[in-house]
């Protein structure tokens, strides 16, 4: 019952050499320029190279921005998680090749027939980096604290909806109880958001934890230090001996450490890679892929499960309370042209609010067809008349919408400029506001936007609850008790896979057809690295995993 179904994802590869190579579902390996490709078997693993893996060396990785929060339980950003994932281990892991949930810090786990009780038997010997044991009391402390923090840990707290408590059966056995069936919980325990922290870490303030002060996980790396706004340095735990069975070796990581350098511009990140100033980059703009092809870099890419990049509508704002305006936006965006013009064949136009690599995805491409004439008909019927400059007005008000997005994300800015032009053609004035991350987060929480640009990663369809349920983030600002709320609650309580899929499909239709969100394109995670970096992998959530990575001589 713990198997997480994984939809078939077409495998694409280029210039992949070596007899007997096996590429697993959802994995894309691009060997660019002079780099040779061969690979160990594994879900999303990079070229293994020749020779035996060796220990030593520090991997330098260029990232787009400094994480707002290093605490994995207190962030929803892929950029944050890419770093914090290395600091924590989880009760379970999700095999990226099969979607199966497997034990990790737990040696085994069981569910009651009603899926309201989950019992985890913990493996012996695991410790947090401050020396405290990973025991049942620590599991209880983690889940209790996440629920107590609530809105601060909104994503993690959503995974524990209906949580009644954790019983410490004995030092190695924890029983987690919910007030109602919780179908998504096994997969949730594999995420970084429910990665375990030491009880001493949990006693720190949320701000301390975000800044990394006293942050102690049970992961293969620990936080060494940070240089404000410039660098985050991790070092290997030499005593680490409780790796995930999905990984390729046990014991400590091969790398001595990982040094993340903040390099905001994608072009500069790629240039740093090609000149060997850094060993790897996370996040590559489509416009820079041709530059990579001209050098000796290797790119590892995987479709990201979860919510597509989309424009979520704040339905409480006056202009977007009108469903016909929201639906006109859906018809006015030409997704295929956006992908063809600005992205690459690694990306796909959105065909639902969930990406096609997410379990229980439903193809709603007919509802997302480009139809500018239909958009104009909707706006005409709603009383929106084109003004002298083409922008529509009604009762003296212009159809001007505030659209917020992460200002550091140049790829998103390029996409949104084309979206802006397409919406302008149907008479909508979308004002782009690229905000710094420390301003974007509070504006999201306060609903200071008409349209919010974002995507969210999770390999379980309950990610829809995290975004749209009125009990969690409610990014569309829907009223409590709405029909979507009912569907999301039912799917989270339904154990039967077919019944749950049917409910998730209805929820997707509700979101798309009511235009609570306007899907644009599917997210893809990319990591590029020099020829001396071997054994990199992308996990079930398409996050980079560096445990098996090593540096050749």
């Amino acid at each position: 019952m713990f198997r997480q179904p994984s939809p078939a994802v077409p495998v694409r590869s280029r210039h992949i050499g070596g007899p007997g190579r096996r590429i697993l579902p959802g994995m894309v390996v691009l060997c660019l320029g002079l780099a040779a490709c061969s690979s160990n078997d594994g879900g999303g693993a990079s070229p293994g190279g020749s020779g035996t893996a060796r220990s030593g060396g520090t991997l330098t990785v260029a990232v787009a921005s400094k994480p707002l929060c290093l605490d994995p339980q207190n962030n929803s950003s892929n950029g944050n998680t890419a770093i914090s994932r290395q600091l924590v281990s989880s009760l379970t892991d999700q095999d990226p090749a099969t979607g199966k949930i497997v034990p990790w810090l737990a040696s085994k786990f069981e569910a009651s027939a009603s899926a309201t009780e989950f019992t985890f038997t913990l493996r012996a010997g695991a410790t947090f980096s401050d020396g405290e044991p990973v025991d049942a009391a620590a599991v209880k402390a983690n889940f209790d604290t996440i629920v107590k923090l609530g809105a601060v840990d909104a994503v993690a707290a959503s995974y524990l909806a209906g949580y009644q408590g954790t019983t410490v059966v004995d030092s190695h056995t924890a029983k987690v109880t919910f007030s109602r069936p919780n179908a998504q919980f096994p997969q949730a325990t594999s995420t970084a958001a429910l990665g375990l922290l030491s009880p001493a870490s949990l006693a720190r303030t949320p701000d301390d934890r975000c800044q990394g002060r006293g942050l102690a996980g049970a992961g293969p790396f620990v936080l060494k230090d940070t240089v404000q706004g410039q660098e985050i340095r991790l070092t290997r735990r030499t005593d680490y001996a409780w790796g995930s069975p999905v990984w390729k070796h046990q014991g400590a990581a091969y790398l001595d450490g990982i040094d993340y350098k903040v390099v905001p511009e994608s072009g500069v990140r790629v240039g740093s890679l090609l000149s060997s100033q850094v060993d790897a980059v996370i996040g590559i703009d489509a416009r820079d892929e041709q530059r990579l092809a001209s050098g000796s870099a290797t790119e590892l890419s995987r479709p990201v499960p979860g919510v597509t990049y989309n424009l979520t509508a704040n339905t409480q704002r006056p202009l977007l309370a009108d469903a016909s305006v929201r639906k006109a936006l859906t018809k006015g965006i030409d997704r295929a042209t956006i992908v063809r013009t600005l992205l690459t064949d690694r990306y796909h136009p959105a065909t639902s609010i969930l990406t096609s690599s997410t379990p229980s995805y439903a193809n709603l491409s007919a509802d997302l067809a480009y139809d500018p004439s239909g958009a104009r008909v909707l706006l005409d019927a709603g009383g929106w008349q084109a003004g002298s400059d083409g922008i529509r007005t009604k009762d003296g008000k212009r159809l001007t919408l505030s659209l917020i997005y992460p200002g550091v994300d140049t790829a998103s800015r390029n996409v949104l400029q084309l979206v802006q032009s397409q919406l302008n053609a149907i008479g909508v004035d979308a004002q782009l506001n690229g905000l710094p991350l420390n301003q974007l987060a509070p504006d999201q929480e306060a609903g200071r936007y008409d349209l919010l640009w974002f995507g969210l990663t999770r390999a379980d369809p309950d990610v829809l609850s995290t975004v749209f349920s009125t009990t969690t983030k409610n990014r569309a600002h829907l009223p409590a008790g709405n029909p979507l709320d009912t569907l999301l609650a039912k799917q989270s309580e339904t154990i039967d896979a077919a019944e749950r899929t049917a409910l998730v499909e209805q929820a997707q239709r509700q979101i798309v057809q009511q235009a609570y969100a306007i899907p644009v394109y599917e997210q893809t995670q990319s990591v590029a690295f020099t020829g001396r970096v071997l054994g990199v992998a992308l996990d079930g959530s398409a996050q980079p995993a560096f445990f098996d990575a090593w540096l050749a001589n």
Side-chain angles (χ1 to χ4, degrees):
M1 89 181 278
F2 287 101
R3 184 178 181 85
Q4 180 73 20
S6 184
V9 179
V11 176
R12 296 170 294 129
S13 61
R14 297 174 186 163
H15 307 299
I16 296 180
R21 175 176 174 79
R22 181 166 69 101
I23 305 174
L24 295 168
M27 184 174 91
V28 182
V29 177
L30 307 180
C31 287
L32 305 170
L34 303 177
C37 265
S38 61
S39 177
N40 298 327
D41 287 349
S46 74
S50 58
T52 303
R54 58 184 289 274
S55 296
T58 296
L59 181 75
T60 58
V61 183
V63 296
S65 62
K66 177 186 180 296
L68 285 178
C69 187
L70 289 169
D71 177 2
Q73 295 179 358
N74 192 13
N75 74 75
S76 58
S77 161
N78 281 341
N80 292 355
T81 304
I83 299 175
S84 62
R85 172 79 272 187
Q86 319 302 325
L87 304 175
V88 291
S89 295
S90 301
L91 287 171
T92 64
D93 199 7
Q94 186 170 23
D95 190 322
T98 66
K100 184 179 180 181
I101 306 302
V102 297
W104 184 354
L105 285 174
S107 59
K108 65 177 182 178
F109 52 98
E110 300 173 332
S112 66
S114 62
T116 57
E117 293 182 350
F118 300 84
T119 302
F120 297 88
T121 301
L122 303 177
R123 60 194 296 173
T127 61
F128 297 102
S129 59
D130 59 7
E132 295 188 67
V134 179
D135 57 14
V139 173
K140 174 178 172 59
N142 272 266
F143 293 163
D144 287 354
T145 301
I146 289 169
V147 171
K148 181 179 178 181
L149 288 175
V152 177
D153 286 354
V155 170
S158 74
Y159 298 168
L160 292 166
Y163 176 78
Q164 287 190 320
T166 299
T167 301
V168 178
V169 178
D170 57 47
S171 62
H172 286 90
T173 310
K175 183 170 69 175
V176 185
T177 304
F178 294 88
S179 60
R180 58 182 183 270
N182 195 344
Q184 58 82 42
F185 186 60
Q187 194 278 336
T189 63
S190 74
T191 65
L194 294 190
L196 300 185
L197 298 171
S198 76
S201 293
L202 299 172
R204 308 287 295 233
T205 67
D207 182 64
D208 274 350
R209 288 164 54 180
C210 275
Q211 299 305 316
R213 293 188 288 266
L215 191 67
F221 296 92
V222 298
L223 180 64
K224 180 180 180 181
D225 57 32
T226 64
V227 177
Q228 185 63 33
Q230 300 177 35
E231 220 163 331
I232 302 97
R233 300 187 184 105
L234 310 184
T235 188
R236 171 177 59 185
R237 274 196 72 177
T238 56
D239 62 343
Y240 188 82
W242 43 89
S244 164
V246 172
W247 300 346
K248 300 306 173 189
H249 81 282
Q250 291 298 303
Y254 294 128
L255 298 169
D256 287 337
I258 307 173
D259 186 356
Y260 295 92
K261 297 180 180 293
V262 178
V263 184
E265 291 294 330
S266 172
V268 178
R269 289 197 300 276
V270 169
S272 298
L273 181 74
L274 295 177
S275 61
S276 297
Q277 296 177 63
V278 299
D279 299 308
V281 297
I282 298 175
I284 302 146
D285 286 1
R287 62 185 179 179
D288 292 314
E289 287 188 14
Q290 290 301 317
R291 291 183 62 203
L292 279 175
S294 66
S296 55
T298 300
E299 184 178 358
L300 185 64
S301 178
R302 184 181 178 88
V304 175
V307 171
T308 62
Y309 268 120
N310 74 94
L311 296 169
T312 295
N314 184 344
T315 60
Q316 293 299 309
R317 302 280 271 209
L319 299 180
L320 293 180
D322 183 347
S324 64
V325 172
R326 302 195 306 266
K327 294 175 182 180
L329 301 181
T330 296
K331 292 179 178 292
I333 295 177
D334 186 350
R335 296 158 184 81
T337 294
I338 289 169
V339 171
R340 183 176 62 251
T341 304
L342 296 176
L343 302 172
T344 70
D345 60 3
R346 291 190 297 105
Y347 296 82
H348 299 283
T351 51
S352 180
I353 187 60
L354 291 177
T355 69
S356 57
S357 60
T358 310
S360 300
Y361 151 85
N363 188 335
L364 305 179
S365 53
D367 293 308
L368 295 172
Y370 178 48
D371 181 12
S373 296
R376 295 185 185 98
V377 168
L378 283 171
L379 294 172
D380 287 341
W384 292 97
Q385 300 301 313
S388 58
D389 61 353
I391 301 303
R392 292 173 179 263
T393 61
K394 179 181 179 181
D395 300 329
K397 294 182 179 179
R398 284 169 60 86
L399 189 46
T400 298
L401 304 175
S402 168
L403 190 166
I404 65 173
Y405 69 98
V408 298
D409 189 347
T410 56
S412 288
R413 183 176 66 236
N414 293 337
V415 167
L416 291 173
Q417 286 173 343
L418 184 47
V419 167
Q420 180 185 49
S421 176
Q422 292 176 350
L423 294 181
N424 188 268
I426 63 169
V428 177
D429 176 24
Q431 293 291 314
L432 306 186
N433 298 313
L435 302 179
L437 295 179
N438 60 358
Q439 182 182 344
L440 182 67
D443 278 15
Q444 286 183 33
E445 296 304 321
R448 289 189 288 267
Y449 57 85
D450 291 309
L451 297 168
L452 171 65
W453 172 255
F454 80 107
L456 185 61
T457 300
R458 190 184 174 193
D460 189 277
D462 198 62
V463 68
L464 295 177
S465 296
T466 300
V467 177
F468 296 102
S469 171
T470 61
T471 64
T472 56
K473 287 186 174 295
N474 193 14
R475 292 299 190 219
H477 291 267
L478 300 169
N482 68 81
L484 179 60
D485 252 4
T486 302
L487 288 170
L488 293 176
K490 283 183 178 179
Q491 67 80 28
S492 70
E493 298 173 3
T494 301
I495 302 304
D496 182 88
E499 290 181 16
R500 189 182 184 212
T501 292
L503 290 166
V504 171
E505 179 174 342
Q506 291 180 57
Q508 291 171 80
R509 290 189 184 279
Q510 183 91 203
I511 292 166
V512 170
Q513 292 179 353
Q514 293 301 313
Y516 296 143
I518 297 93
V520 179
Y521 73 90
E522 295 191 355
Q523 187 178 5
T524 294
Q525 174 71 290
S526 294
V527 182
F529 38 88
T530 64
R532 79 179 192 123
V533 182
L534 304 161
V536 179
L538 294 175
D539 67 15
S541 295
Q543 289 294 339
F546 294 124
F547 180 79
D548 290 313
W550 57 285
L551 301 176
N553 286 325

